Amino acid sequence: MMAIRTSKCWMMMVDIIGSTKMAQETSAEEWPIITGNWFRSCREIIEAHQGHMMKYLGDGFFCYWMHGAGSAEQVKAALADLRRMQEQAAPPFRLVLHLGSAVLGSVPTMAELNLHGQEVNFTFRIEKIAGGLRCPVLLSEAANEALGLETQFLASAPVDGFRGSFKFFAPI
């Protein structure tokens, strides 16, 4: 790894709900069109609000924003656009948002920046909690406090691989 540093980041994991079943019920020709259009629309929203797509996951993606002046407003705007997109439910998806420290670095053979560390892993793990709660948008306590949106408390829950119980919120 080259140019390694630690920075506070907004981390978002977005996942198509029921993608395995949908892929089985959709023709092999149609499924990549559905997911491709969905990925393109999501990427346009993320990039329009200065976010960075980092990893495509087949039925979802991971993206981030560097924390700093104006970043909360960019994240809020992207979140609002993604929530409007969720209302169309084509395909249905959920997202989780966390604010935490990440190790940023690039591999010498690749040009893109990668995020690593416990907070990144935490973001991936809380997507499972959102699924269990059947919650389309789940905010970690840190993201909730920093965004200042009107939210409701959903649950305190353990996160696999992490000690303790964590509070989760949903925008109203």
Side-chain angles (χ1 to χ4, degrees):
M1 294 262 250
M2 305 293 289
I4 297 171
R5 63 187 165 100
T6 300
S7 187
K8 198 169 186 181
C9 299
W10 296 94
M11 295 169 271
M12 182 183 286
M13 170 75 190
V14 183
D15 184 51
I16 296 173
I17 298 169
S19 63
T20 302
K21 184 177 180 190
M22 287 175 58
Q24 292 171 347
E25 294 173 349
T26 306
S27 73
E29 295 79 19
E30 190 178 2
W31 183 243
I33 293 168
I34 292 169
T35 57
N37 288 335
W38 178 77
F39 276 121
R40 186 188 71 246
S41 296
C42 290
R43 185 185 71 239
E44 288 171 356
I45 289 170
I46 300 304
E47 291 177 354
H49 299 291
Q50 282 64 60
H52 307 279
M53 297 296 274
M54 192 186 103
K55 189 174 296 272
Y56 291 96
L57 306 165
D59 65 347
F61 62 88
F62 179 78
C63 64
Y64 70 96
W65 289 258
M66 300 302 294
H67 183 265
S71 65
E73 295 308 315
Q74 293 168 341
V75 172
K76 279 184 201 180
L79 185 59
D81 287 349
L82 289 167
R83 289 181 72 194
R84 279 189 287 278
M85 191 174 154
Q86 278 179 321
E87 292 171 6
Q88 299 168 8
F93 65 95
R94 79 178 131 259
L95 68 89
V96 300
L97 180 66
H98 178 55
L99 176 63
S101 292
V103 177
L104 292 81
S106 59
V107 178
T109 58
M110 303 170 127
E112 71 261 3
L113 186 67
N114 286 296
L115 273 64
H116 307 275
Q118 290 183 353
E119 303 283 347
V120 175
N121 296 338
F122 183 82
T123 305
F124 276 81
R125 300 288 178 152
I126 66 174
E127 191 277 330
K128 300 298 181 205
I129 292 171
L133 294 171
R134 298 192 181 282
C135 180
V137 178
L138 185 75
L139 307 176
S140 71
E141 185 172 15
N144 181 58
E145 288 175 2
L147 279 179
L149 295 173
E150 188 175 346
T151 59
Q152 66 181 21
F153 171 76
L154 289 180
S156 263
V159 176
D160 191 31
F162 292 84
R163 235 177 242 182
S165 189
F166 301 88
K167 294 179 182 176
F168 298 101
F169 300 82
I172 296 176

